[in-house]
Amino acid sequence: SAGTTIESEKILTKKELVDVMDWASGLDLELQRIEECEAPNEAYAGGEEYVFDINDGEETFSYIWIDNYYIVKGGKWYLVNNPTLPPVDM
């Protein structure tokens, strides 16, 4: 059965952006040695993803749940050792 992806976009207020940056800086990240072709999202279907695009691409990163929570930034995958959902109401 095909999964459905629900995408919604939200422009964050300055306060929400500060909250997200504080949240992101508090995450305990562990760099994973994952080749692009071995990325977990290639192996798993489903999960959830938050994509943050700050100042029109000045900084971008994704927060992804597949088998664990990951931050993906600049093509590098980081396992999140203390996952919590971002402080964003969707």
Side-chain angles (χ1 to χ4, degrees), residues 4-89:
T4 54
T5 303
I6 299 170
E7 285 190 31
S8 63
E9 196 169 292
K10 179 179 176 173
I11 305 296
L12 300 180
T13 65
K14 274 200 161 87
K15 178 179 184 329
E16 287 173 319
L17 184 58
V18 167
D19 289 347
V20 165
M21 296 310 282
D22 285 349
W23 163 81
S25 67
L27 295 175
D28 178 17
L29 304 180
E30 184 181 322
L31 180 61
Q32 303 296 289
R33 295 189 177 279
I34 297 174
E35 297 299 321
E36 200 63 51
C37 63
E38 298 171 3
N41 65 339
E42 300 295 326
Y44 294 88
E48 60 184 316
E49 179 174 14
Y50 295 83
V51 178
F52 296 96
D53 181 340
I54 299 160
N55 293 337
D56 290 325
E58 184 178 300
E59 181 162 342
T60 61
F61 66 94
S62 298
Y63 187 59
I64 301 174
W65 182 86
I66 302 161
D67 55 334
N68 283 296
Y69 277 98
Y70 296 92
I71 289 280
V72 181
K73 183 174 177 182
K76 293 190 181 344
W77 286 75
Y78 300 87
L79 176 66
V80 181
N81 290 317
N82 60 340
T84 56
L85 288 179
V88 179
D89 293 324

